[in-house]
Amino acid sequence: MAQLPECRKWQVFMCGCSYLVLFMGNFSTTLVRSSLKVLSLPWLQPVLTCQTASGPMEEERVAPEGPDMAPLEEESLFSNLDIFLFSLIVGLLIYWFLSRKKTEEAIPEFKRLTPVVTPQRETSFIEKMKKTNRNVVVFYGSQTGTAEEFCGRLAKDAQRYGMRGMSADPEEYDMSELPRLAEIDNSLAVFCMATYGEGDPTDNAQDFYDWMQETDEDLNGVNFAVFGLGNKTYEHFNAMGKYTDKRLEELGGKRIYDLGMGDDDGNLEEDFVSWKEQFWPAVCEHFGVEATGDDTSIRQYELVVPTDINMNKVYTGEMGRLKSFETQKPPFDAKNPYLATVAVNRQLNQAGDRHLMHLELDISGSKIRYDSGDHVAVYPVNDVSIVNRIGQILDADLDTVISLNNLDEESNKKHPFPCPTTYRTALTHYLDITNPPRTNVLFELAQYATDPKDQDTLRKMSSASPEGKGLYQSWVLDAQRNILAVLEDMPSLHPHIDHLCELLPRLQARYYSIASSGKVYPTMVSICAVVVEFQTSTGRSFKGVATNWLKNKVVETDNGHKATVPMYVRKSQFRLPFKASNPVVMIGPGTGIAPFMGFLQERGWMKEQGKDVGETILYFGCRHRNEDFLYQQELEEFEKAGVLTQLNVAFSRDQEGKVYVQHLLKKNKEHLWKLIHTDNAHIYICGDARNMARDVQNTFYDIAEEVGVLTHTQAVAYIKKLMTKGRYSQDVWS
């Protein structure tokens, strides 16, 4: 007989118990009935009618007599049903007991397995500092990698001043432990904080920012300093750096040196170097330490060349998980981009010396969702010719498999980029070889120059002296010399390629405003961009990494291979109003029109749904009607369908005097003021931050003064209030 499962046996057992209850109930009834029958026997009657010492017994109840009353039949003590049920229950109980015993005996002996415990990442930076005997921690809030790079340089510099530093991502640690920093003697916390968007913290600093806002912890005994990274063309210049510096002092922290504010619109590198040159002397004075005087190069990573390597374990361009481009798994983000197929790649402008393009990336099956106004991040690939030329100059085998391992075994950052990999992959996918190198790179490379003149020049450019700053500005920045140009123009400079790879910053993702609506095109993400290419003062051609790479993305090659782009979507606050009936005013010259194509598609979709859609007005600007009137056909169709209420286009160079979008805004000032002041309109601006966005904002000040009859101070406050309410939004870049 096949054995029953344990659960089934329990069911049989419980069923048996139920039958037992029924049997006992039936048995009780039979017993009572039989007892009554015994009591009615004639020979017991005298006994039952006798008086007792305690009193007379209850009078016998005599059954009524009559012609219709038949005598009672003889009944057995147990009925046939009782006997059947009792036998069944006993049989089931015996079967369950014996089968259970067999099952228990049949269970084999298994060895107890020791569970594999994955080591947890240390979230206490205090304990880590104590464990590794460090007294300086440098936190970074970074969106594009610059603040992280500055952070690493400061942590490295600490060694030159007799201190031990570590760089730290606030997202990886419990920042509520900051008050405990006072437990470590001569300790210091430095914060390199970039400002993102409209005065917001970077993604990795969001939790730290929230903690600072909510906490009332006492930071007495905590020494700190802050360097902020920002851009003066933006409304909230260095807002995160300013807030961090102010808030840490409010909580009782002691500021060791003044807040530094770098301006990316000017020379961010120079700002940082100048601040750093004053910061360390202040640290020395406060803690009573002195510089060691050792300016020799300090390596952070060691080169390891594996002798026996499985090529399936070698990174070939993945951002995080090995082979992630071969086996794609959502969710997709910065460390796990989606490999989207290029479905469309067409030129938008009809003529002119520029190349403006529209691309569509197929995201079918990725589960990626996006809204109008979001950004798409694209991971570009460096120019192969530049990579090969660097390898040629350094006489390196670019296909050598290498691993750069952190000398600090306690560091969370084990490698500067995914390892193991090849030099070719590192220079192609992971390192920035196109932008001008920073001063710290030049300083470290100087030791490899065999010509004393070249060595002196490199060290001078990396110094904080006025002469050095001027030379770096003219020879590197103004001339747009990348690392290849530096190597070519200094023939005696032959650094070790592994050290060069350690020094170069990471190649960052490029962000573009999505030019489509996720509601209308849920499986397609559109990009509108202009290809960056120009001649430098040295006669070289400077090519933007991402736009030139995208330009050459052929939809499908002759062999049927489809071009792909590693990408992910970054959410934005650039959103259409919640109520479709609110009017919208969109201002986007050039490629600034991108998010408004998505807005128009969505407003058209709302209209088709029968919703009440408010006025939709666009101010677009370009150079010439017949050259770069982007999306002309689509815009005219939107206007014809009534989706676009008003299309205003400024052709800046089609007439003698230049006309820009702000001139058209001023021309329609009465209607605009009514929309803003009376009809609750939302204003959106996208494009150049340095000039256009600022000029447009000043124009709205003028409109508020001229039509709204406000003073300049009142006008500024009025527009600021619109920003606070989310009715004046900007998606700008410089």
Side-chain angles (χ1 to χ4, degrees):
M1 180 190 290
Q3 288 190 358
L4 288 170
E6 192 69 24
C7 60
R8 181 62 181 157
K9 292 170 186 172
W10 275 107
Q11 290 174 355
V12 171
F13 176 68
M14 293 306 295
C15 182
C17 289
S18 301
Y19 277 121
L20 182 61
V21 171
L22 289 171
F23 167 75
M24 292 302 295
N26 193 47
F27 175 75
S28 300
T29 305
T30 304
L31 187 63
V32 170
R33 195 166 59 240
S34 300
S35 300
L36 290 173
K37 196 163 81 171
V38 170
L39 289 173
S40 65
L41 292 174
W43 60 269
L44 279 177
Q45 298 308 311
V47 179
L48 294 174
T49 55
C50 287
Q51 299 290 326
T52 64
S54 59
M57 292 188 70
E58 188 178 349
E59 186 179 348
E60 179 189 5
R61 291 179 181 173
V62 181
E65 295 181 5
D68 297 329
M69 297 303 295
L72 288 172
E73 234 180 74
E74 281 293 329
E75 292 182 16
S76 63
L77 191 62
F78 299 107
S79 69
N80 291 334
L81 178 62
D82 296 331
I83 295 170
F84 171 74
L85 290 175
F86 183 76
S87 302
L88 179 64
I89 292 167
V90 171
L92 288 172
L93 288 173
I94 292 170
Y95 167 74
W96 176 81
F97 178 77
L98 293 175
S99 62
R100 179 173 178 270
K101 187 175 181 181
K102 286 180 182 178
T103 304
E104 287 175 350
E105 291 172 353
I107 295 175
E109 289 289 329
F110 288 103
K111 291 181 180 179
R112 184 180 296 274
L113 295 177
T114 304
V116 178
V117 180
T118 304
Q120 296 294 314
R121 172 170 284 182
E122 179 68 73
T123 60
S124 170
F125 68 90
I126 297 295
E127 295 305 320
K128 187 169 184 177
M129 290 175 73
K130 288 179 177 180
K131 181 180 177 182
T132 57
N133 196 29
R134 298 170 195 268
N135 56 352
V136 177
V137 57
V138 191
F139 294 102
Y140 60 87
S142 184
Q143 198 72 30
T144 62
T146 306
E148 181 180 1
E149 183 193 337
F150 287 178
C151 167
R153 288 160 66 176
L154 287 171
K156 197 173 177 180
D157 283 346
Q159 190 171 330
R160 294 191 170 98
Y161 296 88
M163 306 179 84
R164 294 199 67 198
M166 61 175 270
S167 62
D169 182 345
E171 193 173 37
E172 295 182 353
Y173 293 99
D174 181 4
M175 296 305 291
S176 66
E177 286 199 333
L178 192 58
R180 290 186 58 202
L181 191 64
E183 298 173 10
I184 300 173
D185 293 336
N186 293 334
S187 59
L188 170 65
V190 187
F191 297 84
C192 293
M193 309 303 289
T195 299
Y196 167 65
E198 296 299 305
D200 302 317
T202 57
D203 293 342
N204 76 309
Q206 183 66 55
D207 291 342
F208 174 51
Y209 175 72
D210 293 341
W211 176 79
M212 284 193 293
Q213 286 190 310
E214 297 165 4
T215 190
D216 56 358
E217 293 271 10
D218 184 5
L219 297 186
N220 183 41
V222 174
N223 302 306
F224 76 90
V226 180
F227 182 81
L229 296 83
N231 190 310
K232 280 185 178 175
T233 60
Y234 289 82
E235 178 73 23
H236 305 280
F237 173 61
N238 257 314
M240 189 59 186
K242 292 174 182 175
Y243 178 79
T244 303
D245 183 71
K246 176 173 173 286
R247 185 60 178 148
L248 293 179
E249 184 183 43
E250 289 174 348
L251 293 171
K254 181 174 179 59
R255 185 186 294 106
I256 298 302
Y257 187 61
D258 295 337
L259 167 68
M261 291 196 290
D263 179 17
D264 198 32
D265 187 48
N267 187 334
L268 185 61
E269 176 70 14
E270 181 181 318
D271 295 336
F272 176 67
V273 170
S274 299
W275 178 83
K276 186 164 68 84
E277 289 295 314
Q278 300 300 316
F279 163 73
W280 284 116
V283 171
C284 290
E285 182 179 351
H286 180 82
F287 292 108
V289 297
E290 294 182 359
T292 60
D294 184 8
D295 286 339
T296 57
S297 174
I298 301 173
R299 291 293 298 266
Q300 187 176 351
Y301 299 92
E302 66 173 345
L303 172 66
V304 175
V305 181
T307 53
D308 185 19
I309 187 71
N310 180 354
M311 293 307 290
N312 288 323
K313 300 292 180 67
V314 176
Y315 284 87
T316 57
E318 303 93 331
M319 294 300 127
R321 180 173 56 86
L322 187 66
K323 304 297 179 186
S324 60
F325 289 153
E326 294 179 15
T327 54
Q328 296 263 273
K329 296 177 182 178
F332 298 103
D333 52 29
K335 294 180 180 178
N336 182 36
Y338 177 67
L339 212 55
T341 302
V342 179
V344 174
N345 187 354
R346 64 184 173 92
Q347 187 170 351
L348 289 172
N349 53 315
Q350 295 79 29
D353 56 356
R354 298 185 302 162
H355 184 97
L356 295 115
M357 57 188 175
H358 171 88
L359 289 95
E360 293 177 12
L361 307 180
D362 188 348
I363 57 171
S364 301
S366 67
K367 297 184 180 178
I368 292 175
R369 302 288 180 267
Y370 74 95
D371 294 305
S372 302
D374 284 344
H375 301 140
V376 57
V378 168
Y379 282 103
V381 171
N382 284 316
D383 189 333
V384 174
S385 64
I386 299 178
V387 173
N388 290 335
R389 180 68 179 137
I390 291 173
Q392 182 184 358
I393 290 176
L394 300 182
D395 193 25
D397 179 2
L398 296 180
D399 295 314
T400 302
V401 177
I402 57 110
S403 183
L404 290 179
N405 300 339
N406 203 322
L407 291 166
D408 178 6
E409 294 180 357
E410 298 296 327
S411 174
N412 286 348
K413 188 175 182 179
K414 302 302 181 186
H415 314 281
F417 43 78
C419 289
T421 189
T422 64
Y423 287 124
R424 186 181 303 281
T425 299
L427 292 169
T428 304
H429 294 275
Y430 299 138
L431 299 173
D432 186 347
I433 60 175
T434 303
N435 283 315
R438 297 196 184 278
T439 57
N440 67 304
V441 177
L442 301 180
F443 175 81
E444 297 278 358
L445 293 182
Q447 61 185 305
Y448 296 105
T450 56
D451 186 339
K453 184 180 178 182
D454 288 345
Q455 197 172 100
D456 182 61
T457 301
L458 289 168
R459 286 188 173 144
K460 185 181 291 182
M461 287 191 293
S462 60
S463 72
S465 68
E467 185 183 359
K469 290 178 182 178
L471 185 59
Y472 177 74
Q473 179 69 44
S474 60
W475 198 82
V476 177
L477 298 182
D478 294 344
Q480 284 288 333
R481 277 186 171 89
N482 58 24
I483 190 62
L484 175 58
V486 171
L487 292 172
E488 288 178 335
D489 293 346
M490 288 189 169
S492 79
L493 182 59
H494 287 279
H496 296 161
I497 190 169
D498 62 291
H499 197 184
L500 180 65
C501 289
E502 175 183 327
L503 294 170
L504 291 174
R506 284 292 297 270
L507 180 61
Q508 299 295 323
R510 269 45 173 187
Y511 297 96
Y512 299 95
S513 300
I514 297 178
S516 54
S517 165
K519 288 185 172 61
V520 182
Y521 298 104
T523 62
M524 203 72 70
V525 168
S526 296
I527 294 174
C528 173
V530 57
V531 176
V532 178
E533 185 173 0
F534 57 87
Q535 289 294 117
T536 70
S537 59
T538 64
R540 294 180 173 90
S541 177
F542 179 91
K543 294 183 178 182
V545 178
T547 53
N548 280 275
W549 177 68
L550 289 171
K551 175 188 174 183
N552 295 318
K553 285 288 177 183
V554 180
V555 175
E556 188 171 346
T557 59
D558 295 336
N559 61 6
H561 176 73
K562 293 185 177 180
T564 55
V565 172
M567 53 76 69
Y568 68 94
V569 168
R570 183 177 71 181
K571 292 297 178 182
S572 164
Q573 299 301 316
F574 203 67
R575 291 279 182 269
L576 279 168
F578 180 75
K579 291 177 64 178
S581 57
N582 286 121
V584 298
V585 179
M586 304 171 291
I587 303 146
T591 56
I593 194 175
F596 303 137
M597 294 306 295
F599 280 15
L600 288 168
Q601 290 168 7
E602 193 155 321
R603 298 280 272 192
W605 175 80
M606 289 176 180
K607 203 174 180 69
E608 289 176 0
Q609 302 296 310
K611 293 185 179 179
D612 177 22
V613 179
E615 283 193 62
T616 307
I617 300 169
L618 174 67
Y619 286 86
F620 172 68
C622 61
R623 295 178 181 180
H624 303 283
R625 174 184 285 274
N626 297 325
E627 284 189 10
D628 51 1
F629 189 170
L630 307 184
Y631 300 109
Q632 180 179 358
Q633 184 179 343
E634 291 92 330
L635 293 174
E636 289 174 350
E637 286 175 359
F638 279 129
E639 190 176 27
K640 186 178 179 180
V643 175
L644 188 53
T645 314
Q646 228 183 82
L647 174 59
N648 305 280
V649 185
F651 303 105
S652 62
R653 303 181 188 183
D654 272 352
Q655 60 283 315
E656 187 176 341
K658 290 185 178 180
V659 176
Y660 297 112
V661 287
Q662 59 265 29
H663 298 130
L664 301 186
L665 289 169
K666 201 75 174 285
K667 186 178 178 181
N668 298 325
K669 59 184 179 182
E670 286 82 7
H671 182 57
L672 282 170
W673 179 251
K674 176 184 176 297
L675 289 173
I676 298 167
H677 193 62
T678 307
D679 299 340
N680 203 36
H682 287 236
I683 301 166
Y684 300 92
I685 299 155
C686 183
D688 167 51
R690 184 179 287 108
N691 298 309
M692 183 276 298
R694 186 180 295 170
D695 291 341
V696 166
Q697 191 165 324
N698 288 331
T699 300
F700 277 111
Y701 292 157
D702 294 340
I703 292 172
E705 290 176 48
E706 295 170 16
V707 186
V709 197
L710 303 178
T711 65
H712 181 69
T713 304
Q714 290 173 330
V716 171
Y718 187 91
I719 299 301
K720 300 284 185 194
K721 192 173 182 181
L722 291 180
M723 291 179 180
T724 304
K725 290 184 174 181
R727 288 180 52 205
Y728 190 105
S729 303
Q730 299 183 90
D731 181 7
V732 293
W733 57 84
S734 61

